[in-house]
Amino acid sequence: MAPVTLPPPNLNVHPPAGPQDPPIPEDVAEAHLYVQRAEIAYKAQTVPPLILADAVAYKAKIVSAKIGHDQGAAAPAWFQPALTQLKTELQTSINERLAQSQTSINERLAQLQTSIDQLQTSVGQVEDKVDRFGTRLTSVERTSAISYNMLIGDGRVYRFKCVPLTDGSDPVVQHNLPPLNTVADIRRLTDDDLRCYYTGYVGPVGNRVRETQVKGICRVIGATHLG
């Protein structure tokens, strides 16, 4: 019978000493202890199932070689069925552990997804509150600018404050329109700029003449003195 070779080395399981040929009782004992070390490492999940399987197979080879030498014959009839049963039990144990691990992973993933969904809901609620606050702030800013403009005449002494368009946007910053500091500025608008302001403040121009557009803009921004 060929000499029994050592199993592949692994840093997490101390290997057995090289066996004699034929194996001696100390080799059988060492192989048994090696299986125990591999089983402990496997249960601690520091080695894969293959390392434990290699340890069991190595012990089986050592025992088989020892028995074969002692009896001058092949392993007894009971040995192969016992080895097969041992491998079956080992595979069953491995499958059960894998199934438990998969179940645990699935449960953790489900918990994580629930946390993500709750976080997204919270973020959405915060965004809604921010949007509502922004809308209220724009409304306050608009009302404040109109009230101020109503008190300063035609803007020649104190300039008008910029009134946001009805959609809340800034006509100067966001639409590149000229600022309306005075009533004179409104009257000096080009036809295109006048149309843009009227549309943003009042609505579609339609067939309204220029003077009607000027008055409409002045009324919206609080310019009560047309000059």
Side-chain angles (χ1 to χ4, degrees):
M1 179 177 293
V4 179
T5 59
L6 288 172
N10 185 276
L11 296 177
N12 293 316
V13 182
H14 182 70
Q20 302 292 324
D21 184 25
I24 60 178
E26 287 79 0
D27 295 329
V28 176
E30 182 64 25
H32 178 71
L33 294 175
Y34 179 58
V35 171
Q36 289 183 336
R37 292 195 296 272
E39 185 175 2
I40 292 173
Y42 170 72
K43 289 181 178 180
Q45 298 184 355
T46 59
V47 298
L50 179 61
I51 298 300
L52 179 56
D54 286 343
V56 173
Y58 173 74
K59 176 184 175 181
K61 292 176 182 178
I62 291 292
V63 173
S64 177
K66 180 69 170 60
I67 293 175
H69 176 264
D70 291 347
Q71 297 183 351
W78 57 264
F79 179 76
Q80 189 59 43
L83 179 61
T84 300
Q85 181 179 357
L86 179 61
K87 289 182 177 179
T88 300
E89 292 175 353
L90 176 61
Q91 187 61 53
T92 299
S93 176
I94 293 173
N95 292 340
E96 289 176 351
R97 182 173 291 276
L98 289 175
Q100 292 172 356
S101 298
Q102 187 62 49
T103 299
S104 177
I105 290 173
N106 291 339
E107 290 175 351
R108 292 180 182 179
L109 288 176
Q111 293 172 354
L112 178 61
Q113 185 60 53
T114 299
S115 298
I116 291 174
D117 292 341
Q118 293 174 346
L119 178 60
Q120 290 177 336
T121 299
S122 298
V123 171
Q125 293 173 347
V126 171
E127 289 177 344
D128 290 341
K129 291 180 180 179
V130 170
D131 290 341
R132 290 196 297 269
F133 178 76
T135 300
R136 293 175 182 175
L137 186 61
T138 300
S139 177
V140 171
E141 179 185 1
R142 200 167 190 271
T143 301
S144 175
I146 293 173
S147 299
Y148 175 84
N149 294 342
M150 293 175 67
L151 300 175
I152 61 172
D154 60 5
R156 284 181 294 181
V157 178
Y158 299 101
R159 293 186 174 187
F160 292 142
K161 288 186 177 295
C162 181
V163 176
L165 302 178
T166 54
D167 63 0
S169 61
D170 188 306
V172 179
V173 176
Q174 295 176 256
H175 298 279
N176 296 319
L177 292 172
L180 305 182
N181 296 320
T182 66
V183 171
D185 290 338
I186 301 175
R187 294 191 177 281
R188 283 195 296 265
L189 289 171
T190 65
D191 290 342
D192 288 340
D193 289 343
L194 184 66
R195 185 180 300 105
C196 289
Y197 263 115
Y198 188 88
T199 301
Y201 281 136
V202 183
V205 175
N207 59 358
R208 292 175 177 81
V209 298
R210 183 179 177 87
E211 184 62 21
T212 300
Q213 296 178 53
V214 170
K215 291 180 179 179
I217 294 171
C218 289
R219 183 179 65 255
V220 169
I221 71 171
T224 55
H225 296 77
L226 298 184

